[in-house]
Amino acid sequence: MLDHQPWIEKYRPRTLSEVVGNQPVVERLRALALSGNVPHLLLVGPPGVGKTTVALALARDTLGDALIQQAVLELNASDERGIDVVRNKIKMFCQQHVTLPPGRHKLIILDEADSMTPAAQQALRRIMELYSSTTRFALAANVSSKIIEPIQSRCAVIRFRRLGDEAVRSRLVSVLEEEHVPYEPDGIETIVFTADGDMRQALNNAQATWFGFGVITTEHVLRVCDSPSPARLRRFLELCETQKFEQAVGEIEAIWRSGYAASDLVATLFRVARTQAMITEGGERGRDLRLEFLREIGLTHMRITDGLSSLLQLTALASKLVRCAERIHTAQ
Ligand SMILES: Nc1ncnc2c1ncn2[C@@H]1O[C@H](COP(=O)(O)OP(=O)(O)OP(=O)(O)O)[C@@H](O)[C@H]1O
Ligand SMILES: [Mg+2]
């Protein structure tokens, strides 16, 4: 049974030192944790980068395992967090006396705080101020605009970014080694690419691939994620780059016909063009071509999300990319 534990929980870092990526931010929090004087915090950033993890690790680092039970209150989106909860549960916790080492505070973790109603947030303002000598808040949210201004102004706002590929890769490999999962280096790269800086997604995709196929290879990962093959999209770009229009159209049509949503396809294409080396590597020409490609792919993405016929747009994209390549080659 234990074997079926989700890796995202099994390998959730317990202390700040295990958290990968976002180094300046994590360093800052570690310094705060050491001093014990943690201000109210608002942790903001995209999903799966460690906001909840950091809030929990911070609690453990500042208070220690023994005190966590009494001195930390954690509320997430699965708990009711309307105005009544703020008035009762949160306020009551603030008023409770807990003996702590000097300079330490109780901590209330409000996870997914952007789903709290504005009224509940308003009720929080006063409480945050009133009890700040004994109780600190750590709020986590995906977008700061859903947190009312007065709360933002009471908090140190800590911004998380998507994790770098190297951070995702190293953490992922250490989990796979720990679990004795066989993998191919290409399979790892495919997970890293599809996760796009989301550690939760990387671990979940790796675990699903392991369950389904028993080994991590590119092909298996793509089956699990149901995402178009970066290698094929790269091939499409290469065909455009070398001005083989007919073949390029054939390639993109074939990918489209294997059943991917055009918007996913174009979004992945954009990332392939952005991150992978083009044939015309380096130099001004390579750079110009990449920028032109990204511009055209971006415009196509916009048209497709506007609802325009996708196959037609994809064919048109092929012709535009071939044109870009021609223009830049002849400008030489
Ligand atoms: N920076 C990180 N270092 C190591 N593991 C991480 C990191 N970020 C995420 N993880 C892994 O992904 C899981 C989910 O991360 P977490 O719950 O902290 O994400 P989150 O930023 O709170 O996302 P959401 O906005 O969706 O709530 C963790 O349990 C952990 O296994
Ligand atoms: Mg979270």
Side-chain angles (χ1 to χ4, degrees), residues 42-44 110 112-116 118 121 124 128 139-153 155 157:
L42 174 56
L43 312 169
V44 194
L110 293 177
E112 286 119 35
D114 36 9
S115 64
M116 292 178 79
Q121 293 188 34
L124 205 60
M128 284 173 87
L139 288 76
N142 290 126
V143 275
S144 54
S145 57
K146 288 199 189 145
I147 305 294
I148 60 170
E149 288 278 341
I151 289 193
Q152 291 194 40
S153 109
C155 293
V157 181

Side-chain angles (χ1 to χ4, degrees), residues 169-246:
R169 187 181 297 120
S170 65
R171 180 83 185 165
L172 176 65
V173 167
S174 72
V175 169
L176 294 178
E177 301 275 338
E178 187 87 10
E179 293 284 327
H180 306 293
V181 173
Y183 60 85
E184 287 178 4
D186 269 4
I188 302 285
E189 289 316 305
T190 309
I191 293 183
V192 170
F193 180 84
T194 47
D196 195 17
D198 177 338
M199 193 69 219
R200 180 192 289 121
Q201 210 187 341
L203 290 178
N204 279 338
N205 288 342
Q207 193 172 22
T209 309
W210 161 232
F211 272 171
F213 301 97
V215 53
I216 313 282
T217 66
T218 293
E219 191 199 333
H220 295 152
V221 172
L222 291 173
R223 294 262 294 274
V224 163
C225 310
D226 194 26
S227 67
S229 150
R232 286 191 78 179
L233 291 172
R234 173 139 196 251
R235 164 118 189 98
F236 164 71
L237 290 178
E238 282 171 6
L239 290 168
C240 293
E241 220 179 320
T242 45
Q243 299 154 47
K244 302 199 177 85
F245 175 67
E246 296 296 335

